[in-house]
PDB file of all heavy atoms in Angstrom:
ATOM      1  N   ARG A   1     218.219 200.445 412.297  1.00  0.00           N
ATOM      2  CA  ARG A   1     219.398 200.828 413.094  1.00  0.00           C
ATOM      3  C   ARG A   1     219.762 199.729 414.070  1.00  0.00           C
ATOM      4  O   ARG A   1     220.903 199.303 414.165  1.00  0.00           O
ATOM      5  CB  ARG A   1     219.122 202.132 413.837  1.00  0.00           C
ATOM      6  CG  ARG A   1     220.336 202.663 414.607  1.00  0.00           C
ATOM      7  CD  ARG A   1     219.960 203.782 415.558  1.00  0.00           C
ATOM      8  NE  ARG A   1     219.052 203.315 416.598  1.00  0.00           N
ATOM      9  CZ  ARG A   1     219.461 202.695 417.700  1.00  0.00           C
ATOM     10  NH1 ARG A   1     220.746 202.419 417.877  1.00  0.00           N
ATOM     11  NH2 ARG A   1     218.584 202.306 418.615  1.00  0.00           N
ATOM     12  N   ARG A   2     218.768 199.266 414.838  1.00  0.00           N
ATOM     13  CA  ARG A   2     219.051 198.249 415.848  1.00  0.00           C
ATOM     14  C   ARG A   2     219.498 196.940 415.234  1.00  0.00           C
ATOM     15  O   ARG A   2     220.346 196.245 415.776  1.00  0.00           O
ATOM     16  CB  ARG A   2     217.817 198.053 416.725  1.00  0.00           C
ATOM     17  CG  ARG A   2     217.505 199.242 417.627  1.00  0.00           C
ATOM     18  CD  ARG A   2     216.254 199.019 418.448  1.00  0.00           C
ATOM     19  NE  ARG A   2     216.366 197.843 419.302  1.00  0.00           N
ATOM     20  CZ  ARG A   2     215.365 197.368 420.042  1.00  0.00           C
ATOM     21  NH1 ARG A   2     214.184 197.945 419.991  1.00  0.00           N
ATOM     22  NH2 ARG A   2     215.535 196.311 420.804  1.00  0.00           N
ATOM     23  N   GLY A   3     218.897 196.599 414.084  1.00  0.00           N
ATOM     24  CA  GLY A   3     219.289 195.354 413.425  1.00  0.00           C
ATOM     25  C   GLY A   3     220.729 195.368 412.975  1.00  0.00           C
ATOM     26  O   GLY A   3     221.459 194.384 413.110  1.00  0.00           O
ATOM     27  N   VAL A   4     221.188 196.504 412.439  1.00  0.00           N
ATOM     28  CA  VAL A   4     222.572 196.620 411.992  1.00  0.00           C
ATOM     29  C   VAL A   4     223.520 196.587 413.192  1.00  0.00           C
ATOM     30  O   VAL A   4     224.560 195.923 413.150  1.00  0.00           O
ATOM     31  CB  VAL A   4     222.777 197.880 411.143  1.00  0.00           C
ATOM     32  CG1 VAL A   4     224.256 198.143 410.922  1.00  0.00           C
ATOM     33  CG2 VAL A   4     222.052 197.739 409.801  1.00  0.00           C
ATOM     34  N   VAL A   5     223.181 197.305 414.261  1.00  0.00           N
ATOM     35  CA  VAL A   5     224.012 197.287 415.465  1.00  0.00           C
ATOM     36  C   VAL A   5     224.155 195.863 415.978  1.00  0.00           C
ATOM     37  O   VAL A   5     225.258 195.390 416.303  1.00  0.00           O
ATOM     38  CB  VAL A   5     223.430 198.211 416.551  1.00  0.00           C
ATOM     39  CG1 VAL A   5     224.129 197.976 417.897  1.00  0.00           C
ATOM     40  CG2 VAL A   5     223.565 199.674 416.145  1.00  0.00           C
ATOM     41  N   LEU A   6     223.037 195.150 416.050  1.00  0.00           N
ATOM     42  CA  LEU A   6     223.068 193.767 416.512  1.00  0.00           C
ATOM     43  C   LEU A   6     223.865 192.888 415.542  1.00  0.00           C
ATOM     44  O   LEU A   6     224.610 191.993 415.956  1.00  0.00           O
ATOM     45  CB  LEU A   6     221.648 193.236 416.662  1.00  0.00           C
ATOM     46  CG  LEU A   6     221.491 191.814 417.187  1.00  0.00           C
ATOM     47  CD1 LEU A   6     222.159 191.649 418.535  1.00  0.00           C
ATOM     48  CD2 LEU A   6     219.996 191.456 417.288  1.00  0.00           C
ATOM     49  N   GLY A   7     223.714 193.143 414.236  1.00  0.00           N
ATOM     50  CA  GLY A   7     224.486 192.389 413.259  1.00  0.00           C
ATOM     51  C   GLY A   7     225.963 192.566 413.437  1.00  0.00           C
ATOM     52  O   GLY A   7     226.743 191.596 413.371  1.00  0.00           O
ATOM     53  N   VAL A   8     226.417 193.791 413.658  1.00  0.00           N
ATOM     54  CA  VAL A   8     227.835 194.037 413.919  1.00  0.00           C
ATOM     55  C   VAL A   8     228.283 193.280 415.165  1.00  0.00           C
ATOM     56  O   VAL A   8     229.337 192.631 415.183  1.00  0.00           O
ATOM     57  CB  VAL A   8     228.115 195.558 414.062  1.00  0.00           C
ATOM     58  CG1 VAL A   8     229.558 195.801 414.528  1.00  0.00           C
ATOM     59  CG2 VAL A   8     227.875 196.267 412.731  1.00  0.00           C
ATOM     60  N   ASP A   9     227.491 193.376 416.242  1.00  0.00           N
ATOM     61  CA  ASP A   9     227.828 192.651 417.470  1.00  0.00           C
ATOM     62  C   ASP A   9     228.028 191.160 417.209  1.00  0.00           C
ATOM     63  O   ASP A   9     228.952 190.530 417.716  1.00  0.00           O
ATOM     64  CB  ASP A   9     226.694 192.804 418.501  1.00  0.00           C
ATOM     65  CG  ASP A   9     226.627 194.195 419.096  1.00  0.00           C
ATOM     66  OD1 ASP A   9     227.579 194.975 418.949  1.00  0.00           O
ATOM     67  OD2 ASP A   9     225.586 194.491 419.734  1.00  0.00           O
ATOM     68  N   LEU A  10     227.121 190.579 416.421  1.00  0.00           N
ATOM     69  CA  LEU A  10     227.152 189.135 416.183  1.00  0.00           C
ATOM     70  C   LEU A  10     228.368 188.731 415.347  1.00  0.00           C
ATOM     71  O   LEU A  10     228.983 187.687 415.604  1.00  0.00           O
ATOM     72  CB  LEU A  10     225.853 188.695 415.504  1.00  0.00           C
ATOM     73  CG  LEU A  10     224.628 188.706 416.424  1.00  0.00           C
ATOM     74  CD1 LEU A  10     223.347 188.679 415.605  1.00  0.00           C
ATOM     75  CD2 LEU A  10     224.674 187.510 417.385  1.00  0.00           C
ATOM     76  N   VAL A  11     228.713 189.541 414.358  1.00  0.00           N
ATOM     77  CA  VAL A  11     229.901 189.239 413.559  1.00  0.00           C
ATOM     78  C   VAL A  11     231.154 189.350 414.431  1.00  0.00           C
ATOM     79  O   VAL A  11     232.056 188.503 414.359  1.00  0.00           O
ATOM     80  CB  VAL A  11     230.005 190.138 412.316  1.00  0.00           C
ATOM     81  CG1 VAL A  11     231.276 189.823 411.537  1.00  0.00           C
ATOM     82  CG2 VAL A  11     228.782 189.951 411.412  1.00  0.00           C
ATOM     83  N   VAL A  12     231.203 190.380 415.289  1.00  0.00           N
ATOM     84  CA  VAL A  12     232.328 190.522 416.203  1.00  0.00           C
ATOM     85  C   VAL A  12     232.366 189.342 417.193  1.00  0.00           C
ATOM     86  O   VAL A  12     233.439 188.810 417.507  1.00  0.00           O
ATOM     87  CB  VAL A  12     232.265 191.877 416.947  1.00  0.00           C
ATOM     88  CG1 VAL A  12     233.330 191.943 418.045  1.00  0.00           C
ATOM     89  CG2 VAL A  12     232.446 193.018 415.959  1.00  0.00           C
ATOM     90  N   LEU A  13     231.206 188.929 417.676  1.00  0.00           N
ATOM     91  CA  LEU A  13     231.155 187.764 418.567  1.00  0.00           C
ATOM     92  C   LEU A  13     231.715 186.540 417.878  1.00  0.00           C
ATOM     93  O   LEU A  13     232.483 185.763 418.471  1.00  0.00           O
ATOM     94  CB  LEU A  13     229.705 187.505 419.009  1.00  0.00           C
ATOM     95  CG  LEU A  13     229.449 186.240 419.841  1.00  0.00           C
ATOM     96  CD1 LEU A  13     230.249 186.255 421.139  1.00  0.00           C
ATOM     97  CD2 LEU A  13     227.951 186.099 420.125  1.00  0.00           C
ATOM     98  N   LEU A  14     231.372 186.346 416.615  1.00  0.00           N
ATOM     99  CA  LEU A  14     231.919 185.204 415.865  1.00  0.00           C
ATOM    100  C   LEU A  14     233.423 185.314 415.750  1.00  0.00           C
ATOM    101  O   LEU A  14     234.153 184.319 415.875  1.00  0.00           O
ATOM    102  CB  LEU A  14     231.251 185.145 414.481  1.00  0.00           C
ATOM    103  CG  LEU A  14     231.560 183.919 413.645  1.00  0.00           C
ATOM    104  CD1 LEU A  14     231.132 182.636 414.339  1.00  0.00           C
ATOM    105  CD2 LEU A  14     230.893 184.028 412.283  1.00  0.00           C
ATOM    106  N   ILE A  15     233.940 186.514 415.511  1.00  0.00           N
ATOM    107  CA  ILE A  15     235.386 186.731 415.451  1.00  0.00           C
ATOM    108  C   ILE A  15     236.024 186.362 416.787  1.00  0.00           C
ATOM    109  O   ILE A  15     237.074 185.690 416.827  1.00  0.00           O
ATOM    110  CB  ILE A  15     235.699 188.178 415.065  1.00  0.00           C
ATOM    111  CG1 ILE A  15     235.392 188.429 413.593  1.00  0.00           C
ATOM    112  CG2 ILE A  15     237.177 188.515 415.361  1.00  0.00           C
ATOM    113  CD1 ILE A  15     235.527 189.882 413.175  1.00  0.00           C
ATOM    114  N   VAL A  16     235.396 186.776 417.883  1.00  0.00           N
ATOM    115  CA  VAL A  16     235.941 186.483 419.213  1.00  0.00           C
ATOM    116  C   VAL A  16     235.990 184.980 419.444  1.00  0.00           C
ATOM    117  O   VAL A  16     236.965 184.436 419.965  1.00  0.00           O
ATOM    118  CB  VAL A  16     235.124 187.195 420.295  1.00  0.00           C
ATOM    119  CG1 VAL A  16     235.520 186.722 421.699  1.00  0.00           C
ATOM    120  CG2 VAL A  16     235.284 188.711 420.200  1.00  0.00           C
ATOM    121  N   VAL A  17     234.941 184.259 419.055  1.00  0.00           N
ATOM    122  CA  VAL A  17     234.902 182.808 419.204  1.00  0.00           C
ATOM    123  C   VAL A  17     235.983 182.143 418.360  1.00  0.00           C
ATOM    124  O   VAL A  17     236.797 181.329 418.861  1.00  0.00           O
ATOM    125  CB  VAL A  17     233.517 182.255 418.828  1.00  0.00           C
ATOM    126  CG1 VAL A  17     233.537 180.723 418.778  1.00  0.00           C
ATOM    127  CG2 VAL A  17     232.455 182.731 419.825  1.00  0.00           C
ATOM    128  N   VAL A  18     236.022 182.470 417.083  1.00  0.00           N
ATOM    129  CA  VAL A  18     236.945 181.807 416.149  1.00  0.00           C
ATOM    130  C   VAL A  18     238.403 182.166 416.469  1.00  0.00           C
ATOM    131  O   VAL A  18     239.291 181.319 416.419  1.00  0.00           O
ATOM    132  CB  VAL A  18     236.591 182.173 414.699  1.00  0.00           C
ATOM    133  CG1 VAL A  18     237.662 181.674 413.735  1.00  0.00           C
ATOM    134  CG2 VAL A  18     235.239 181.606 414.323  1.00  0.00           C
ATOM    135  N   ALA A  19     238.633 183.420 416.822  1.00  0.00           N
ATOM    136  CA  ALA A  19     240.016 183.855 417.107  1.00  0.00           C
ATOM    137  C   ALA A  19     240.624 183.051 418.229  1.00  0.00           C
ATOM    138  O   ALA A  19     241.781 182.620 418.154  1.00  0.00           O
ATOM    139  CB  ALA A  19     240.032 185.347 417.439  1.00  0.00           C
ATOM    140  N   GLY A  20     239.880 182.830 419.292  1.00  0.00           N
ATOM    141  CA  GLY A  20     240.422 182.065 420.408  1.00  0.00           C
ATOM    142  C   GLY A  20     240.759 180.641 420.055  1.00  0.00           C
ATOM    143  O   GLY A  20     241.675 180.040 420.618  1.00  0.00           O
ATOM    144  N   ARG A  21     240.017 180.076 419.099  1.00  0.00           N
ATOM    145  CA  ARG A  21     240.249 178.694 418.698  1.00  0.00           C
ATOM    146  C   ARG A  21     241.464 178.532 417.788  1.00  0.00           C
ATOM    147  O   ARG A  21     242.184 177.529 417.882  1.00  0.00           O
ATOM    148  CB  ARG A  21     239.016 178.132 417.988  1.00  0.00           C
ATOM    149  CG  ARG A  21     237.794 178.008 418.859  1.00  0.00           C
ATOM    150  CD  ARG A  21     236.674 177.334 418.072  1.00  0.00           C
ATOM    151  NE  ARG A  21     235.442 177.220 418.832  1.00  0.00           N
ATOM    152  CZ  ARG A  21     234.363 176.580 418.396  1.00  0.00           C
ATOM    153  NH1 ARG A  21     234.367 176.012 417.193  1.00  0.00           N
ATOM    154  NH2 ARG A  21     233.277 176.509 419.147  1.00  0.00           N
ATOM    155  N   ILE A  22     241.663 179.505 416.867  1.00  0.00           N
ATOM    156  CA  ILE A  22     242.644 179.246 415.823  1.00  0.00           C
ATOM    157  C   ILE A  22     243.801 180.233 415.741  1.00  0.00           C
ATOM    158  O   ILE A  22     244.858 179.875 415.239  1.00  0.00           O
ATOM    159  CB  ILE A  22     241.961 179.153 414.440  1.00  0.00           C
ATOM    160  CG1 ILE A  22     241.303 180.467 414.055  1.00  0.00           C
ATOM    161  CG2 ILE A  22     240.968 178.002 414.419  1.00  0.00           C
ATOM    162  CD1 ILE A  22     240.681 180.432 412.663  1.00  0.00           C
ATOM    163  N   PHE A  23     243.663 181.466 416.218  1.00  0.00           N
ATOM    164  CA  PHE A  23     244.744 182.417 416.069  1.00  0.00           C
ATOM    165  C   PHE A  23     246.008 181.988 416.819  1.00  0.00           C
ATOM    166  O   PHE A  23     247.113 182.091 416.271  1.00  0.00           O
ATOM    167  CB  PHE A  23     244.317 183.822 416.503  1.00  0.00           C
ATOM    168  CG  PHE A  23     243.380 184.523 415.535  1.00  0.00           C
ATOM    169  CD1 PHE A  23     242.792 183.829 414.485  1.00  0.00           C
ATOM    170  CD2 PHE A  23     243.074 185.863 415.677  1.00  0.00           C
ATOM    171  CE1 PHE A  23     241.917 184.457 413.597  1.00  0.00           C
ATOM    172  CE2 PHE A  23     242.222 186.502 414.806  1.00  0.00           C
ATOM    173  CZ  PHE A  23     241.630 185.795 413.767  1.00  0.00           C
ATOM    174  N   PRO A  24     245.906 181.515 418.071  1.00  0.00           N
ATOM    175  CA  PRO A  24     247.122 181.045 418.737  1.00  0.00           C
ATOM    176  C   PRO A  24     247.766 179.871 417.987  1.00  0.00           C
ATOM    177  O   PRO A  24     249.002 179.795 417.876  1.00  0.00           O
ATOM    178  CB  PRO A  24     246.642 180.636 420.121  1.00  0.00           C
ATOM    179  CG  PRO A  24     245.373 181.392 420.329  1.00  0.00           C
ATOM    180  CD  PRO A  24     244.742 181.486 418.977  1.00  0.00           C
ATOM    181  N   MET A  25     246.954 178.953 417.476  1.00  0.00           N
ATOM    182  CA  MET A  25     247.479 177.807 416.741  1.00  0.00           C
ATOM    183  C   MET A  25     248.189 178.268 415.468  1.00  0.00           C
ATOM    184  O   MET A  25     249.305 177.824 415.166  1.00  0.00           O
ATOM    185  CB  MET A  25     246.346 176.843 416.379  1.00  0.00           C
ATOM    186  CG  MET A  25     246.780 175.644 415.544  1.00  0.00           C
ATOM    187  SD  MET A  25     245.385 174.608 415.059  1.00  0.00           S
ATOM    188  CE  MET A  25     244.478 175.712 413.954  1.00  0.00           C
ATOM    189  N   PHE A  26     247.553 179.152 414.699  1.00  0.00           N
ATOM    190  CA  PHE A  26     248.188 179.686 413.495  1.00  0.00           C
ATOM    191  C   PHE A  26     249.511 180.348 413.821  1.00  0.00           C
ATOM    192  O   PHE A  26     250.517 180.159 413.102  1.00  0.00           O
ATOM    193  CB  PHE A  26     247.264 180.708 412.807  1.00  0.00           C
ATOM    194  CG  PHE A  26     246.078 180.120 412.114  1.00  0.00           C
ATOM    195  CD1 PHE A  26     245.059 180.964 411.644  1.00  0.00           C
ATOM    196  CD2 PHE A  26     245.946 178.766 411.908  1.00  0.00           C
ATOM    197  CE1 PHE A  26     243.951 180.461 410.976  1.00  0.00           C
ATOM    198  CE2 PHE A  26     244.840 178.230 411.252  1.00  0.00           C
ATOM    199  CZ  PHE A  26     243.845 179.079 410.791  1.00  0.00           C
ATOM    200  N   THR A  27     249.529 181.115 414.898  1.00  0.00           N
ATOM    201  CA  THR A  27     250.735 181.855 415.260  1.00  0.00           C
ATOM    202  C   THR A  27     251.844 180.904 415.714  1.00  0.00           C
ATOM    203  O   THR A  27     253.016 181.067 415.347  1.00  0.00           O
ATOM    204  CB  THR A  27     250.407 182.877 416.372  1.00  0.00           C
ATOM    205  OG1 THR A  27     249.301 183.686 415.969  1.00  0.00           O
ATOM    206  CG2 THR A  27     251.599 183.770 416.639  1.00  0.00           C
ATOM    207  N   ARG A  28     251.492 179.939 416.525  1.00  0.00           N
ATOM    208  CA  ARG A  28     252.471 178.958 417.000  1.00  0.00           C
ATOM    209  C   ARG A  28     253.042 178.164 415.832  1.00  0.00           C
ATOM    210  O   ARG A  28     254.262 177.923 415.741  1.00  0.00           O
ATOM    211  CB  ARG A  28     251.816 178.026 418.017  1.00  0.00           C
ATOM    212  CG  ARG A  28     252.792 177.092 418.740  1.00  0.00           C
ATOM    213  CD  ARG A  28     252.113 176.373 419.896  1.00  0.00           C
ATOM    214  NE  ARG A  28     250.905 175.668 419.487  1.00  0.00           N
ATOM    215  CZ  ARG A  28     249.678 176.020 419.828  1.00  0.00           C
ATOM    216  NH1 ARG A  28     249.477 177.096 420.584  1.00  0.00           N
ATOM    217  NH2 ARG A  28     248.636 175.324 419.423  1.00  0.00           N
ATOM    218  N   ASN A  29     252.188 177.740 414.900  1.00  0.00           N
ATOM    219  CA  ASN A  29     252.669 176.977 413.742  1.00  0.00           C
ATOM    220  C   ASN A  29     253.583 177.813 412.867  1.00  0.00           C
ATOM    221  O   ASN A  29     254.552 177.308 412.297  1.00  0.00           O
ATOM    222  CB  ASN A  29     251.475 176.464 412.924  1.00  0.00           C
ATOM    223  CG  ASN A  29     250.685 175.410 413.650  1.00  0.00           C
ATOM    224  OD1 ASN A  29     251.139 174.840 414.653  1.00  0.00           O
ATOM    225  ND2 ASN A  29     249.485 175.128 413.165  1.00  0.00           N
ATOM    226  N   ALA A  30     253.259 179.091 412.707  1.00  0.00           N
ATOM    227  CA  ALA A  30     254.037 179.971 411.819  1.00  0.00           C
ATOM    228  C   ALA A  30     255.370 180.377 412.429  1.00  0.00           C
ATOM    229  O   ALA A  30     256.354 180.541 411.709  1.00  0.00           O
ATOM    230  CB  ALA A  30     253.225 181.201 411.455  1.00  0.00           C
ATOM    231  N   THR A  31     255.385 180.554 413.742  1.00  0.00           N
ATOM    232  CA  THR A  31     256.599 181.092 414.399  1.00  0.00           C
ATOM    233  C   THR A  31     257.457 180.031 415.081  1.00  0.00           C
ATOM    234  O   THR A  31     258.645 180.261 415.329  1.00  0.00           O
ATOM    235  CB  THR A  31     256.207 182.148 415.448  1.00  0.00           C
ATOM    236  OG1 THR A  31     255.435 181.517 416.483  1.00  0.00           O
ATOM    237  CG2 THR A  31     255.397 183.268 414.815  1.00  0.00           C
ATOM    238  N   GLY A  32     256.845 178.913 415.420  1.00  0.00           N
ATOM    239  CA  GLY A  32     257.575 177.885 416.158  1.00  0.00           C
ATOM    240  C   GLY A  32     257.782 178.207 417.627  1.00  0.00           C
ATOM    241  O   GLY A  32     258.541 177.522 418.306  1.00  0.00           O
ATOM    242  N   VAL A  33     257.109 179.242 418.119  1.00  0.00           N
ATOM    243  CA  VAL A  33     257.255 179.631 419.528  1.00  0.00           C
ATOM    244  C   VAL A  33     256.291 178.792 420.372  1.00  0.00           C
ATOM    245  O   VAL A  33     255.074 178.977 420.306  1.00  0.00           O
ATOM    246  CB  VAL A  33     256.974 181.141 419.716  1.00  0.00           C
ATOM    247  CG1 VAL A  33     257.076 181.516 421.199  1.00  0.00           C
ATOM    248  CG2 VAL A  33     257.930 181.963 418.883  1.00  0.00           C
ATOM    249  N   ALA A  34     256.828 177.882 421.143  1.00  0.00           N
ATOM    250  CA  ALA A  34     255.998 176.909 421.873  1.00  0.00           C
ATOM    251  C   ALA A  34     255.178 177.526 422.986  1.00  0.00           C
ATOM    252  O   ALA A  34     254.159 176.961 423.399  1.00  0.00           O
ATOM    253  CB  ALA A  34     256.892 175.800 422.442  1.00  0.00           C
ATOM    254  N   SER A  35     255.566 178.674 423.479  1.00  0.00           N
ATOM    255  CA  SER A  35     254.859 179.282 424.617  1.00  0.00           C
ATOM    256  C   SER A  35     253.542 179.958 424.208  1.00  0.00           C
ATOM    257  O   SER A  35     252.742 180.325 425.054  1.00  0.00           O
ATOM    258  CB  SER A  35     255.753 180.322 425.303  1.00  0.00           C
ATOM    259  OG  SER A  35     256.096 181.358 424.393  1.00  0.00           O
ATOM    260  N   ILE A  36     253.318 180.115 422.911  1.00  0.00           N
ATOM    261  CA  ILE A  36     252.063 180.728 422.440  1.00  0.00           C
ATOM    262  C   ILE A  36     250.930 179.768 422.712  1.00  0.00           C
ATOM    263  O   ILE A  36     250.992 178.587 422.388  1.00  0.00           O
ATOM    264  CB  ILE A  36     252.163 181.062 420.940  1.00  0.00           C
ATOM    265  CG1 ILE A  36     253.206 182.162 420.699  1.00  0.00           C
ATOM    266  CG2 ILE A  36     250.801 181.486 420.391  1.00  0.00           C
ATOM    267  CD1 ILE A  36     253.541 182.379 419.234  1.00  0.00           C
ATOM    268  N   ARG A  37     249.856 180.303 423.300  1.00  0.00           N
ATOM    269  CA  ARG A  37     248.764 179.418 423.692  1.00  0.00           C
ATOM    270  C   ARG A  37     247.467 180.205 423.868  1.00  0.00           C
ATOM    271  O   ARG A  37     247.470 181.416 423.942  1.00  0.00           O
ATOM    272  CB  ARG A  37     249.085 178.727 425.030  1.00  0.00           C
ATOM    273  CG  ARG A  37     249.127 179.681 426.214  1.00  0.00           C
ATOM    274  CD  ARG A  37     249.700 179.012 427.471  1.00  0.00           C
ATOM    275  NE  ARG A  37     249.531 179.838 428.661  1.00  0.00           N
ATOM    276  CZ  ARG A  37     250.297 180.860 428.982  1.00  0.00           C
ATOM    277  NH1 ARG A  37     251.281 181.234 428.186  1.00  0.00           N
ATOM    278  NH2 ARG A  37     250.069 181.538 430.103  1.00  0.00           N
TER     279      ARG A  37
END
């Protein structure tokens, strides 16, 4: 139980890290809205 809970946390943590790096860039490139950051 604890291992799975921790595993979910870690995958979500990875999402949080990666999202901040690339989601604004993807969105800005796709929409052309310069204020996205």
